Amino acid sequence: MDTIEPIAYDPTAIEAKWQRTWADRGTNQVDLAGAKRPFYSLMMFPYPSAEGLHVGNLFAFTGSDISARFHRLLGYDVFQPLGYDAFGIHSENYALKIGAHPMELTPKNVANFQRQLERAGLMVDWRQKVDTSQRDYYRWTQWVFLQLHKQGLAYKKAAAVNWCSSCKTVLANEQVEGGACERCGTVVEQRFLEQWFFRIGDYAERLLGNLDGLDWSEVTKSAQRNWIGRSEGAEIKFDVAGHDASVRVFTTRPDTIFGATYLVLAPEHPMVETITTAAQRDAVRAYQANTTKQDVVSRKTVLQKTGVFTGAVAVNPATGTNVPVWIADYVLMEYGTGAIMAVPGHDERDFEFVHELAPAFREDCGLEVEQVIRRVVAGEGEGADTPLAEAYAASTGADHLVNSAQFDGLSVAEAKTAVIAWLEQNGHATPVVNYRLHDWCVSRQRYWGPPIPIVYCDACGTVPVPEAQLPVELPFISDFKPDDSGISPLARHAEWYNVACPSCGGAARRETDVSDTFLDSAWYFLRYPSARRDDVAFDRDITARWLPVNSYIGGNEHAVLHLLYSRFVTMALKDGGHINFDEPFTRFRAHGLIIRDGAKMSKTKGNVINPDEYVTEWGADAFRMYLMFLGPYQDGGDFRSQGISGVRRFLDRLWGSVRDARRDGDADPDVMRKLHQVIRKVGDDTGALAYNTAIAAMMEYMNVLRRAERVAHVDEVQPLVQLVAPFAPHLAEECWAHFGHDRSVFDAGWPLWDPALAEESTIEIAVQVQGKTRGRVTLSPDATQEEVLQAAMADASIAKFVTGEPKKIIYVKGRLLNILV
RNA sequence: GCGCUCGUGGCGAAAUUGGUAGACGCGCAAGCCUUAGGAGCUUGUAGGGCAACCUGUCCCGGUUCGAGUCCGGGCGAGCGCACCA
């Protein structure tokens, strides 16, 4: 019996042993102050739900952990921290649901997560753990708020905001999905409330422009671009007849101005009041009352358009003709100027409005459809002279203007600039860039978050809490339940909010809202390396050494939330002189999602995987490795319980070959050649996060060892242990120790591979005739074309296809020969 | 509608980036070993054909000696944005 006998190893014992050893030896700790080759490996921290760790968490963390361990083996000083996003609505809502107090429940959940995470075998430096709900963390979250305030980037204003009646708080635009709360799915209402905002809108251009230089997943960059929503166009002024006023509209299609036959204002537009005629006043007021009460979701998604005429008339600055001014619900106050010029001939929405919803008024009010663009489709010639909304959407390069005076014949692109330039001369237009991105609403009318560090004083006004007085501590209150009043639970506690003004000492009142959870996580990566410092949010030297983050891994659901906010806060802190970099994450990779048997995992479907069960049955190493083997890391994968056995079999075989490895005699040169090839492949793939193919390569090598039908030599097996180490760290340590090493395998370095030793002495070269593969010949890699041809013609099954003299021969060295006859 | 990513065996997937399609694993089949096996080992496994061979990477075209890969058009899926002017 010479072949490798797998010996089922005992993961429970081995894994517990090594986790203990790592903790005892401080294996996972890094010298933060003195590291020579710092590498900051970051994973998105979890919020500690009571349900415990989800496979999705483990999938994400394992991917980051492998990258971190791999870099350590390459010789970097790797810092990989982890912590808890424990403040915020998600934690508070769960406490409410089970009737617990978040201040008591959160530490329990954190402890449970900690236990599960420790079993997973992550190379985390737990000394640097952060917990956003702890005072020594949120003190500095408040400090960040104050820095932004100091820089004029935080302001308070009354505005129409998104109100979730279930979470009983306002939400940022980023937290509203299709008109509903992204967390609970409740339809969001519009409320008019005074809130704190951050001027993220001022950073739109920078947030957009920097994306090109970032090594990030394309999906993430594209999501951010969409969210920032840059559009170039112009503001055009339409004077209102009989008033000393003009309506400013934003358009991306100034070229269509000759077809602008009416204007539309958002119902809540401030000019509506002044320009509405007496005859239309009642109708307008009734309409306004009706639409502003509507919740956001029906304003934004219902496609039926309604509107009412204000009675006012404006002058089209291009044609000089009168155009009626309407108000309608399809124009949004939040975007552009809250007013549009309607071009029903070339805009689908305007076309719909005119045709479907205002037929009774059409003639009376002159809502006419004019064609000003002629569509030219390649190969089809010019389109018919029918004004159609489609012409707007399908503007091809050949389309040109008609019925537009001196601009007739210009292409759409030419006309855009020409029309703006012309109108600009008489002060009727300005080129403008608009963004969809709005300022970040950070106030929350909730309990479980950092109180916003602001005090209101009748004498001094809005006073920031002095930094020396931080934190503004969140008090323990039992009635923390939010209500529908739009006022925070803290506002019920006069003993807390009544304070002396920090400026004049007079009676003053604290801000009673807390800040958005996303502010907690928008700077946590700065805190980790300085987590044990109580005198600064982050140390200058430490920060300069470790940041920006070298590798960040997380879910793409945060593309426009956490990732955008983190970039903004980083830029703001740089502008405030606190740090010297613009972008927090040099490389970001969005991992995929784990589904199960083709469907998303959900409690209702009952297909949720409990990692604990699998870790107990198969071991953390096998579970980690299986998750990574499911498919490309950035695509996620379909979890099938059966599949894990293949990975476990591999680990058992590895353990068997380590146990049986012989030291006498020499290693087989053929096996060693494969080994050098595998070292290269696993290194390349692991660096590229192609974990599935890295694992496949190791399995292939294991098969080579087995098929050798003899006990493997130490030299053939030991380097494989180093390759496996990032994936199955516990077993790798056990194997490494078995080979007699005292130190951790993670201090052993990555095995070197020698290109000369990796090279095959003979290779198969495919032989094609007329481009069809007809056979293969085995020759030395540097065989000449003549040699290959000779060998090919000696093979009857190839030669029979070669009829006559070859006309041309194509030889790709070491790959294939193509004979053309 | 706009943007991004993608489409390959029964299944999850590979393919050195234009060069032998289906590595690796699951599943399945046959065999060995077993009192037994949801264990272990061996072999086979894209489809068709007795075979020589033929056909095959969503569909249609193109470039090329050669296309899963590049180009044009279409169909389909997933994600993001969306009455955004």
Side-chain angles (χ1 to χ4, degrees):
Chain A
M1 174 50 66
D2 274 356
T3 52
I4 296 160
E5 268 303 289
I7 302 164
Y9 73 102
D10 177 6
T12 313
I14 288 181
E15 290 172 5
K17 168 183 158 190
W18 285 101
Q19 282 159 17
R20 223 180 307 117
T21 309
W22 291 331
D24 291 347
R25 292 183 183 168
T27 308
N28 299 340
Q29 297 177 5
V30 69
D31 176 8
L32 285 160
K36 295 265 179 338
R37 294 182 71 194
F39 187 92
Y40 189 170
S41 173
L42 183 67
M43 52 190 114
M44 285 186 183
F45 64 169
Y47 91 87
S49 72
E51 285 90 2
L53 200 63
H54 186 262
V55 245
N57 296 128
L58 217 48
F59 179 74
F61 298 159
T62 302
S64 180
D65 192 53
I66 290 168
S67 169
R69 290 181 181 276
F70 176 62
H71 280 89
R72 171 155 173 179
L73 283 161
L74 289 178
Y76 290 94
D77 298 305
V78 177
F79 175 48
Q80 180 166 252
L82 192 50
Y84 299 99
D85 191 16
F87 241 167
I89 293 188
H90 33 47
S91 301
E92 186 182 332
N93 280 356
Y94 191 78
L96 282 165
K97 192 172 138 196
I98 67 165
H101 194 286
M103 215 173 259
E104 290 160 354
L105 182 63
T106 304
K108 287 182 198 160
N109 290 348
V110 165
N112 184 42
F113 255 69
Q114 186 71 31
R115 179 190 64 79
Q116 288 189 295
L117 284 171
E118 281 170 13
R119 286 190 78 191
L122 302 172
M123 190 181 75
V124 165
D125 188 345
W126 287 113
R127 295 173 306 166
Q128 305 299 118
K129 178 167 68 180
V130 303
D131 175 339
T132 55
S133 68
Q134 296 296 304
R135 72 193 290 285
D136 64 1
Y137 183 88
Y138 72 74
R139 168 185 180 183
W140 302 113
T141 305
Q142 292 170 338
W143 176 88
V144 170
F145 183 98
L146 291 178
Q147 304 317 305
L148 268 65
H149 186 261
K150 203 186 287 177
Q151 291 167 237
L153 295 174
Y155 66 96
K156 196 174 194 187
K157 75 164 182 194
V161 290
N162 312 298
W163 177 264
C164 173
S165 61
S166 165
C167 295
K168 306 203 191 301
T169 181
V170 299
L171 302 173
N173 293 330
E174 287 79 4
Q175 289 157 350
V176 179
E177 267 174 22
C181 173
E182 59 120 11
R183 193 169 303 107
C184 67
T186 306
V187 169
V188 167
E189 316 166 10
Q190 208 172 30
R191 283 202 181 182
F192 205 73
L193 293 167
E194 260 212 304
Q195 303 289 321
W196 281 96
F197 289 86
F198 284 158
R199 294 191 194 280
I200 191 170
D202 289 3
Y203 284 73
E205 194 62 57
R206 206 158 143 199
L207 287 166
L208 185 68
N210 280 7
L211 282 175
D212 295 331
L214 290 180
D215 179 13
W216 282 28
S217 301
E218 194 51 45
V219 273
T220 312
K221 292 210 238 185
S222 137
Q224 292 213 350
R225 285 192 193 101
N226 285 336
W227 186 260
I228 295 167
R230 182 182 201 272
S231 58
E232 270 178 45
E235 266 183 34
I236 299 179
K237 267 193 344 195
F238 284 70
D239 295 330
V240 182
H243 287 269
D244 186 20
S246 48
V247 174
R248 284 162 48 244
V249 305
F250 174 72
T251 179
T252 55
R253 295 296 305 274
D255 53 297
T256 61
I257 191 159
F258 286 84
T261 54
Y262 64 106
L263 300 185
V264 187
L265 306 186
E268 64 270 47
H269 195 288
M271 275 187 75
V272 174
E273 184 67 22
T274 45
I275 63 170
T276 300
T277 60
Q280 289 300 101
R281 183 140 293 155
D282 289 348
V284 165
R285 290 215 171 134
Y287 184 77
Q288 282 178 317
N290 204 15
T291 47
T292 47
K293 258 192 240 148
Q294 278 175 13
D295 51 60
V296 177
V297 77
S298 65
R299 286 281 308 273
K300 288 196 172 171
T301 60
V302 170
L303 292 169
Q304 220 173 26
K305 297 175 178 60
T306 60
V308 63
F309 181 40
T310 63
V313 169
V315 182
N316 182 324
T319 61
T321 54
N322 284 343
V323 294
V325 182
W326 283 63
I327 62 173
D329 55 1
Y330 77 98
V331 173
L332 308 172
M333 193 60 221
E334 314 91 76
Y335 188 76
T337 59
I340 61 156
M341 64 177 207
V343 184
H346 303 285
D347 182 284
E348 220 174 331
R349 296 151 301 185
D350 300 337
F351 182 85
E352 269 174 30
F353 182 67
V354 167
H355 279 84
E356 295 164 25
L357 298 148
F361 306 101
R362 209 185 306 165
E363 291 89 38
D364 291 354
C365 306
L367 301 189
E368 284 157 24
V369 179
E370 302 274 1
Q371 184 184 15
V372 292
I373 306 281
R374 180 161 297 146
R375 197 171 176 211
V376 181
V377 181
E380 288 176 26
E382 301 204 349
D385 282 348
T386 325
L388 273 181
E390 284 76 26
Y392 174 82
S395 88
T396 65
D399 291 356
H400 59 261
L401 270 67
V402 293
N403 303 324
S404 299
Q406 70 268 37
F407 301 102
D408 283 358
L410 290 187
S411 74
V412 166
E414 289 164 342
K416 278 185 182 178
T417 30
V419 167
I420 294 175
W422 176 59
L423 289 174
E424 215 174 350
Q425 280 168 15
N426 48 32
H428 276 280
T430 333
V432 162
V433 176
N434 248 311
Y435 299 93
R436 231 184 53 84
L437 177 67
H438 289 356
D439 282 348
W440 173 12
C441 174
V442 293
S443 303
R444 294 293 178 275
Q445 291 70 46
R446 295 290 296 240
Y447 167 68
W448 194 234
I452 291 175
I454 293 287
V455 168
Y456 303 103
C457 168
D458 285 342
C460 311
T462 300
V463 182
V465 173
E467 289 176 23
Q469 290 177 27
L470 295 181
V472 175
E473 206 161 331
L474 182 71
F476 180 94
I477 59 171
S478 46
D479 57 335
F480 64 91
K481 218 175 157 169
D483 63 27
D484 206 44
S485 62
I487 296 167
S488 155
L490 289 174
R492 299 174 202 139
H493 291 263
E495 76 286 357
W496 181 78
Y497 66 68
N498 282 328
V499 285
C501 169
S503 179
C504 70
R509 183 189 159 102
R510 284 192 192 284
E511 167 66 62
T512 52
D513 285 353
V514 300
S515 58
D516 183 4
T517 323
F518 282 96
L519 181 58
D520 302 331
S521 55
W523 75 281
Y524 78 120
F525 45 92
L526 286 164
R527 182 63 185 165
Y528 275 134
S530 305
R532 286 175 292 159
R533 291 287 293 271
D534 58 4
D535 55 335
V536 284
F538 43 88
D539 178 85
R540 248 170 214 279
D541 294 339
I542 293 277
T543 303
R545 186 179 293 268
W546 290 98
L547 281 111
V549 169
N550 298 87
S551 165
Y552 194 22
I553 286 175
N556 207 40
E557 67 275 15
H558 287 118
V560 295
L561 287 156
H562 163 63
L563 287 169
L564 195 66
Y565 295 147
S566 297
R567 296 180 62 214
F568 161 67
V569 168
T570 300
M571 288 175 188
L573 289 173
K574 187 198 178 196
D575 293 349
H578 301 284
I579 52 178
N580 59 2
F581 50 92
D582 240 9
E583 289 289 342
F585 315 122
T586 306
R587 180 176 86 157
F588 172 73
R589 290 290 179 274
H591 64 250
L593 292 175
I594 298 292
I595 55 170
R596 181 162 194 197
D597 300 325
K600 233 178 188 169
M601 269 183 264
S602 72
K603 267 178 274 177
T604 47
K605 284 193 200 104
N607 61 352
V608 176
I609 294 152
N610 178 353
D612 265 347
E613 285 170 21
Y614 281 88
V615 169
T616 303
E617 185 174 355
W618 300 93
D621 284 336
F623 191 59
R624 282 167 61 105
M625 209 157 173
Y626 177 57
L627 288 176
M628 296 302 107
F629 189 56
L630 285 174
Y633 186 60
Q634 296 180 59
D635 294 356
D638 192 351
F639 190 99
R640 285 164 200 269
S641 322
Q642 277 177 325
I644 195 168
S645 60
V647 167
R648 176 59 196 267
R649 237 191 305 272
F650 165 74
L651 292 176
D652 282 337
R653 286 166 179 166
L654 172 67
W655 178 233
S657 64
V658 168
R659 286 272 301 258
D660 297 347
R662 66 188 158 88
R663 290 185 181 273
D664 57 301
D666 294 322
D668 179 336
D670 288 333
V671 172
M672 291 305 286
R673 188 177 309 116
K674 292 282 179 232
L675 176 65
H676 281 264
Q677 291 167 8
V678 167
I679 293 170
R680 177 168 88 153
K681 167 98 176 135
V682 173
D684 288 351
D685 287 0
T686 306
L689 270 60
Y691 300 141
N692 56 332
T693 51
I695 293 167
M698 292 188 276
M699 289 174 163
E700 227 176 316
Y701 180 65
M702 192 70 234
N703 290 340
V704 169
L705 288 181
R706 291 165 60 221
R707 278 168 197 149
E709 302 228 331
R710 53 174 186 75
V711 172
H713 192 273
V714 177
D715 292 349
E716 298 165 2
V717 184
Q718 188 165 266
L720 178 61
V721 171
Q722 289 160 279
L723 302 188
V724 168
F727 299 85
H730 310 89
L731 181 61
E733 289 279 32
E734 184 69 19
C735 293
W736 196 246
H738 183 83
F739 283 129
H741 301 283
D742 296 331
R743 303 197 57 195
S744 167
V745 66
F746 295 100
D747 293 325
W750 190 250
L752 296 171
W753 67 277
D754 183 337
L757 292 178
E759 197 171 327
E760 295 285 354
S761 56
T762 60
I763 51 166
E764 272 195 343
I765 295 165
V767 180
Q768 300 184 334
V769 181
Q770 305 291 67
K772 272 181 184 278
T773 305
R774 295 298 183 184
R776 7 200 94 105
V777 294
T778 304
L779 287 167
S780 123
D782 38 34
T784 63
Q785 179 176 314
E786 273 57 34
E787 290 167 335
V788 180
L789 184 60
Q790 206 173 21
M793 295 309 284
D795 184 334
S797 62
I798 297 171
K800 72 179 177 187
F801 290 98
V802 185
T803 53
E805 256 325 278
K807 283 204 187 79
K808 193 179 174 190
I809 291 177
I810 290 152
Y811 178 48
V812 183
K813 193 162 175 263
R815 295 216 179 282
L816 64 66
L817 185 80
N818 190 3
I819 303 166
L820 303 173
V821 290

